[in-house]
Amino acid sequence: MRTVKRVFCACVFILSYICILSYICVAGSANSSEADRVIQAALQPSPLEMNLHRLTDEIGGRVPGTLAMQHAVAWGVQAFTAAGADSVHTEAFTIPYSWSEGDTAMTATTAYQVDATKLGGGTVLSSFRVRAVSVAWAPALAPVKHIPIVDVGDGTAADFKKAGDISGKLILVHTVVLKTWDDLFAEYAKAPPVIDLAVKGKAKAVAFMATRDHDILYRHTNSAAGEIDRLPMVLVAREDGERMARLLAAGNSVWADLSIPNQIGGPIKSANVVAEIRGSERPDEFVILGAHLDSWELGTGALDNGCNAALVVDALRAIKASGVKPRRTIRFILFSGEEQGLIGSHAYAVAHRAELDKAAGVIVYDSGTGRTTGFSIGGRKDFLATAKNLVAPLAQFDVKNVKLDMEWGTDHFDFMLEGVPTFVADQDEANYLENYHAVSDTYDKVDFAQLKKHVAEAAALSVELADLPEKIGPRLTHEQIEQAMRETNSVDMLKADGIWDDWVSGKRGREK
Ligand SMILES: [Zn+2]
């Protein structure tokens, strides 16, 4: 998963000028020659392509609780070991439910009038198969026939009111074609209120139109943390959804036969894979370079996020190959359970809370292979100037921007809420969104020339953070983190994502 809410602080521009002065003061503090050595090592031929081939083509899609996920964890251990890690281990955590899709089937039927005498005339029934998949972590639906379909437009409260009685019916929800990161954020934000209204109106099930053209289906979830959702839900091919909508708009009745035989089980164990290069001077302090290893399974999870799991492994290899010995420890972590709600990284942050004062930065990649444009640093204006300095050697790859944005939707999130300095790679959309969680997210979509550059960036930034004379910034207190949320206008984002209440109560993030 990777959803992004861009937030801009009004004082960024003022800060930028202050930072020019600070930049001059701190320039030179990072050892750019070591960064260059790491970059050169990263750009050499490596097992990057073969590692990703094994993870995607051989193992395939990786949903926690499946054999493929177990094999992916074993892949991570083996790949880190082969890359030269000083140590490799796994850390287990629990996901509350297992979930897998059965043979979801949907047929739509409509009636139309034929008045040509030669054809007999009268009312004719016409059926067509609807290409549909279950929404992930949604409940099963036993086969039902002849459910009336109701179009609820965009699914606003006004749309539902206009649609009238939805009790016992399948509601069809319109969407817009996904083009930008903001569209993706909107897609996630839109679903919970629609589900609220569907539950309230006692709908039988929900059918969301796909946000991609050309019959592309993808795995979506509206469940926040691995819980089973409230209603059966399907995602239908955009072309089929639009056809049903046109029929309904023209006054035809449309019914569905629908079967969603999802398999749901009890708690499951999954695991994060953790490798280390031990620090030469301050081994108890650590930088984390992370990416999630799990994926959805309609495709093979190549752009999301196999390529970046392979990047993390290759960054370790590159640092070792460069001969550079980082002063602090670098932990290379492949998280699991990300797609079910950042469950693996949240579990890691909680399990390691007692040592997070020693965390010297968390870097995360989770946006396919679109060009990295910069990094978002989670509202941390205290180290904006130093971060710009660290990114300077990456200008050769067009990595230039350091933004204060606090983002949700990938594995830095719980570290950010714990007050740890975080760096999320901001990337061009490239081909990420059209293939996002989709049948088409496969190895052939990966831009390896670009991915090699990202290995270089990630390895260099990890070493730079590990080598700074002092950690780039302190661990913030609860109050300081909340201040950063307000300064970056992130409170509404956290509310929309259903996280704000848990933050305020202290259930999630740094304790008060
Ligand atoms: Zn992802």
Side-chain angles (χ1 to χ4, degrees), residues 139-416:
L141 179 71
V144 278
K145 289 196 178 296
H146 219 65
I147 323 171
I149 302 177
V150 180
D151 189 329
V152 295
D154 292 328
T156 64
D159 289 330
F160 269 84
K161 198 171 175 188
K162 197 169 146 199
D165 179 21
I166 59 166
S167 170
K169 297 174 182 171
L170 173 64
I171 61 166
L172 177 66
V173 184
H174 289 243
T175 58
V176 295
V177 173
L178 182 61
K179 292 203 174 95
T180 66
W181 294 120
D182 283 343
D183 293 340
L184 183 57
F185 176 76
E187 185 178 351
Y188 276 101
K190 173 180 175 170
V194 168
I195 298 166
D196 287 343
L197 291 165
V199 169
K200 200 172 157 198
K202 298 188 169 58
K204 186 82 172 170
V206 183
F208 290 98
M209 266 188 218
T211 58
R212 319 310 148 70
D213 287 320
H214 310 301
D215 281 339
I216 288 179
L217 293 173
Y218 56 93
R219 189 71 76 205
H220 194 91
T221 184
N222 300 311
S223 164
E227 74 279 13
I228 300 299
D229 222 319
R230 292 167 289 169
L231 270 182
M233 288 180 268
V234 284
L235 178 94
V236 299
R238 189 164 192 84
E239 287 72 10
D240 293 332
E242 295 281 19
R243 181 176 174 183
M244 291 186 283
R246 283 192 300 273
L247 285 165
L248 289 164
N252 301 61
S253 293
V254 187
W255 304 272
D257 293 351
L258 182 60
S259 172
I260 317 175
N262 297 332
Q263 306 283 314
I264 294 164
I268 45 170
K269 289 269 185 216
S270 195
N272 300 318
V273 186
V274 185
E276 279 191 356
I277 295 178
R278 293 287 286 171
S280 58
E281 293 176 27
R282 297 186 188 175
D284 57 329
E285 294 184 353
F286 58 94
V287 171
I288 292 174
L289 173 61
H292 69 87
L293 178 60
D294 65 297
S295 76
W296 293 116
E297 83 299 12
L298 294 173
T300 61
L303 292 176
D304 189 12
N305 193 27
C307 63
N308 292 315
L311 169 155
V312 169
V313 171
D314 214 48
L316 188 155
R317 177 205 61 80
I319 295 168
K320 279 285 181 181
S322 73
V324 169
K325 306 227 178 295
R327 297 169 72 192
R328 295 181 182 82
T329 292
I330 303 176
R331 291 182 187 167
F332 301 81
I333 308 185
L334 305 178
F335 295 107
S336 181
E338 195 271 355
E339 298 292 5
Q340 290 71 44
L342 317 176
I343 298 175
S345 50
H346 175 247
Y348 188 91
V350 171
H352 292 263
R353 193 173 260 160
E355 62 169 344
L356 290 183
D357 286 349
K358 295 183 183 299
V362 175
I363 307 165
V364 168
Y365 276 73
D366 189 11
S367 300
T369 51
R371 178 185 63 116
T372 309
T373 54
F375 291 89
S376 288
I377 59 170
R380 296 295 297 260
K381 60 187 180 189
D382 59 309
F383 62 69
L384 180 63
T386 313
K388 287 185 175 180
N389 187 32
L390 297 190
V391 166
L394 311 182
Q396 61 188 297
F397 304 121
D398 288 339
V399 181
K400 289 172 183 164
N401 303 323
V402 178
K403 294 179 180 172
L404 285 174
D405 302 14
M406 296 183 94
E407 298 182 351
W408 171 79
T410 191
D411 290 309
H412 75 297
F413 184 72
D414 281 281
F415 297 98
M416 183 176 79

Side-chain angles (χ1 to χ4, degrees), residues 41-56 75 78-84 306-307 309-318 321 443 448 451-452 455:
L43 297 177
Q44 298 305 308
S46 81
L48 179 68
E49 292 88 343
M50 183 53 71
N51 280 341
L52 187 59
H53 161 69
R54 289 187 175 131
L55 183 64
T56 56
W75 169 93
Q78 189 276 332
F80 276 137
T81 305
C307 63
L311 169 155
V312 169
V313 171
D314 214 48
L316 188 155
R317 177 205 61 80
Y443 180 93
F448 280 101
L451 184 58
K452 291 287 279 187
V455 172

Side-chain angles (χ1 to χ4, degrees), residues 26-43:
V26 298
S29 65
N31 189 334
S32 62
S33 72
E34 292 209 331
D36 288 340
R37 280 167 63 194
V38 169
I39 287 168
Q40 288 313 311
L43 297 177

Side-chain angles (χ1 to χ4, degrees), residues 443-459:
Y443 180 93
D444 47 289
K445 305 303 186 304
V446 174
D447 179 345
F448 280 101
Q450 195 63 42
L451 184 58
K452 291 287 279 187
K453 294 178 185 175
H454 298 176
V455 172
E457 297 159 9

